[in-house]
Amino acid sequence: MFKDLDPILHSQVRLAIMSILIGVKSAEFNYLLENIKTTKGNLSFQLGKLKDAGYIQVQKSFKGNYPLTTC
């Protein structure tokens, strides 16, 4: 009846990321960081996992002199 849940989504942080992104067109790294309450390194790692699995797109650019990551 239902497809099995993809193991990539079993992580609490990855599921939190997807829960936020499902309701918006895009979100900046700092927005996700503030709302998920994890470390920068962990968030970056989990975003990479979701990107590699094809769930999200990650765009890296600059805003002024600062790096900007948008999902």
Side-chain angles (χ1 to χ4, degrees):
M1 180 179 205
F2 293 105
K3 289 178 68 176
D4 291 335
L5 182 62
D6 188 343
I8 199 81
L9 298 176
H10 284 197
S11 160
Q12 288 180 333
V13 173
R14 290 191 295 259
L15 190 55
I17 292 167
M18 293 304 295
S19 295
I20 290 171
L21 292 178
I22 199 100
V24 296
K25 184 175 179 181
S26 66
E28 293 181 3
F29 185 89
N30 285 335
Y31 177 81
L32 294 172
L33 190 63
E34 290 171 9
N35 287 285
I36 295 174
K37 307 288 189 227
T38 189
T39 64
K40 289 179 183 180
N42 188 33
L43 180 58
S44 181
F45 178 79
Q46 302 304 340
L47 289 173
K49 288 282 207 177
L50 290 169
K51 179 184 173 202
D52 292 345
Y55 281 103
I56 64 171
Q57 295 177 345
V58 177
Q59 180 182 15
K60 296 188 179 260
S61 61
F62 284 91
K63 187 176 189 178
N65 291 331
Y66 299 98
L68 177 66
T69 300
T70 307
C71 304

